[in-house]
């Protein structure tokens, strides 16, 4: 595949797709997590049956694309730490389900606490899916951590704690090892190492990194980027963290003649008090 075709392939697929990656994990709202200390050792054994049943039903409804059943578990006042309300969340979910028609959701309860009229639950959801674009198969694998506040059997609030999502395509997509902190100090220097782990041989490798502030608007906006022709098997950068605190998506994109891989990680940027 020539470099020109690589560019055409990337612009016609990734630019319209990669920024939606996070939606795969966020739209359901039950997602590796930091563990609540009170009951973390035996969460599934000690958790109330109602909570375990609710999480199982959410997985089943999402995997089966049964929207009316799914909506029963979300409060009309549902909101997320990313600025999504229920209407925006539902719209994003519909868009995602149109793009990925073969999805599987698996949620594990990591910790829980009783609160007035409900629970606070930390969960891990793994999502896999397949999408076809212009005859090419795109494979999605996502693991997201979140904390939910559940009142009266409905999710009222969601905070995303960790997020890492892989999107790959082709017969031999690059395998990426990403070394990036999950939390950075605003304006501080940090190291980003994104390594392609297998030998490239004579293959041409192109790639880039992107950072995007997480917001409700970012779910529908494709970021701008420019690919670089890489002389080594990866990207190795000393960079400076954004000056504005908040959550950011840091994405690395690598493309070779036989495939493409995008790896996205959520990073919390904080300021010292």
């Amino acid at each position: 595949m020539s470099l020109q075709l690589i560019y055409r392939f990337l612009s016609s697929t990734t630019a319209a797709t990669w920024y939606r990656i996070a939606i795969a994990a966020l739209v359901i709202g039950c997602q590796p997590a930091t563990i609540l200390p009170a009951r973390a050792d035996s969460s599934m054994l000690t958790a109330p049956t109602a909570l375990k049943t609710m999480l199982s039903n959410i997985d089943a409804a999402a995997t089966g694309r049964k929207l009316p059943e799914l909506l029963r578990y979300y409060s009309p006042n549902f909101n997320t730490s990313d600025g999504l309300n229920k209407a925006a969340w539902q719209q994003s979910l519909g868009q995602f389900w149109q793009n990925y028609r073969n999805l599987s959701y698996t949620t594990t309860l990591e910790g829980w606490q009783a609160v007035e009229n409900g629970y606070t639950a930390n969960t891990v959801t793994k999502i896999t899916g397949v999408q076809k674009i212009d005859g090419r198969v795109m494979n999605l694998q996502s693991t997201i951590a979140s904390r939910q506040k559940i009142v009266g059997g409905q999710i009222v609030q969601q905070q995303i704690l960790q997020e890492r999502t892989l999107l790959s395509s082709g017969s031999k997509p690059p395998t990426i090892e990403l070394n990036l902190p999950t939390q950075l100090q605003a304006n501080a220097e940090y190291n980003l190492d994104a390594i392609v782990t297998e030998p490239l041989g004579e293959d041409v490798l192109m790639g880039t990194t992107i950072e995007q502030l997480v917001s409700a608007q970012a779910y529908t906006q494709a970021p701008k980027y420019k690919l670089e022709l890489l002389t080594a098997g990866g990207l190795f950068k000393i960079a400076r963290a954004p000056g504005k605190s908040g959550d950011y998506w840091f994405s690395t994109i690598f493309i070779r003649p036989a495939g493409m891989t995008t790896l996205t990680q959520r990073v919390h940027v904080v300021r010292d008090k």
Side-chain angles (χ1 to χ4, degrees):
M1 183 185 295
S2 69
L3 290 182
Q4 289 79 7
L5 287 177
I6 289 175
Y7 265 115
R8 286 178 57 192
F9 167 67
L10 195 62
S11 61
S12 66
T13 59
T14 305
T17 304
W18 90 265
Y19 69 94
R20 297 194 183 102
I21 291 174
I23 293 174
L26 298 178
V27 291
I28 296 306
C30 293
Q31 296 90 25
T34 57
I35 298 175
L36 292 171
R39 308 171 190 263
D41 291 340
S42 56
S43 296
M44 291 305 293
L45 293 176
T46 63
T49 300
L51 176 58
K52 293 188 288 185
T53 299
M54 177 184 178
L55 297 178
S56 178
N57 289 345
I58 287 174
D59 276 350
T63 300
R65 306 163 62 88
K66 298 176 181 178
L67 186 58
E69 290 186 23
L70 187 63
L71 293 178
R72 292 169 41 202
Y73 298 102
Y74 290 83
S75 166
N77 299 318
F78 170 73
N79 63 86
T80 77
S81 57
D82 291 344
L84 294 173
N85 58 23
K86 187 173 183 178
W89 165 84
Q90 184 175 342
Q91 182 179 4
S92 296
L93 177 61
Q95 176 83 49
F96 177 64
W97 281 0
Q98 285 182 6
N99 292 333
Y100 287 87
R101 299 188 177 277
N102 182 10
L103 291 165
S104 175
Y105 294 78
T106 304
T107 299
T108 302
L109 181 64
E110 293 288 314
W112 67 279
Q113 288 181 337
V115 297
E116 186 177 0
N117 297 323
Y119 313 98
T120 299
N122 279 24
T123 54
V124 178
T125 292
K126 295 185 178 181
I127 302 173
T128 59
V130 176
Q131 178 188 25
K132 285 189 177 181
I133 302 177
D134 298 331
R136 300 183 183 273
V137 176
M138 310 290 286
N139 296 292
L140 173 75
Q141 300 177 47
S142 187
T143 303
I144 310 291
S146 71
R147 178 177 293 126
Q148 286 72 230
K149 182 178 180 181
I150 302 166
V151 176
Q154 291 186 315
I155 299 174
V156 178
Q157 294 176 341
Q158 178 199 46
Q159 178 187 4
I160 304 302
L161 303 175
Q162 298 177 22
E163 175 184 0
R164 184 172 274 210
T165 300
L166 183 72
L167 188 67
S168 61
S169 179
S171 61
K172 196 174 181 180
T175 303
I176 302 175
E177 179 181 310
L178 178 63
N179 298 314
L180 176 68
T182 57
Q183 181 169 303
L184 297 171
Q185 291 289 328
N187 291 314
E189 285 190 350
Y190 68 94
N191 292 319
L192 186 153
D193 296 332
I195 305 163
V196 176
T197 60
E198 65 269 345
L200 292 171
E202 299 298 320
D203 279 359
V204 172
L205 181 67
M206 303 185 73
T208 192
T209 61
I210 308 166
E211 65 181 52
Q212 185 181 25
L213 179 65
V214 178
S215 66
Q217 292 74 27
Y219 279 83
T220 58
Q221 294 174 348
K224 296 179 180 180
Y225 59 88
K226 184 178 180 180
L227 287 170
E228 305 172 24
L229 181 61
L230 303 178
T231 57
L235 289 162
F236 309 92
K237 293 185 176 183
I238 298 177
R240 188 168 297 278
K244 182 178 179 181
S245 61
D247 282 8
Y248 288 77
W249 287 313
F250 281 64
S251 294
T252 57
I253 299 174
F254 287 104
I255 186 165
R256 63 192 298 184
M260 178 202 73
T261 303
T262 299
L263 181 59
T264 297
Q265 176 178 306
R266 182 179 292 245
V267 175
H268 306 289
V269 176
V270 299
R271 287 187 176 275
D272 290 328
K273 295 182 179 179

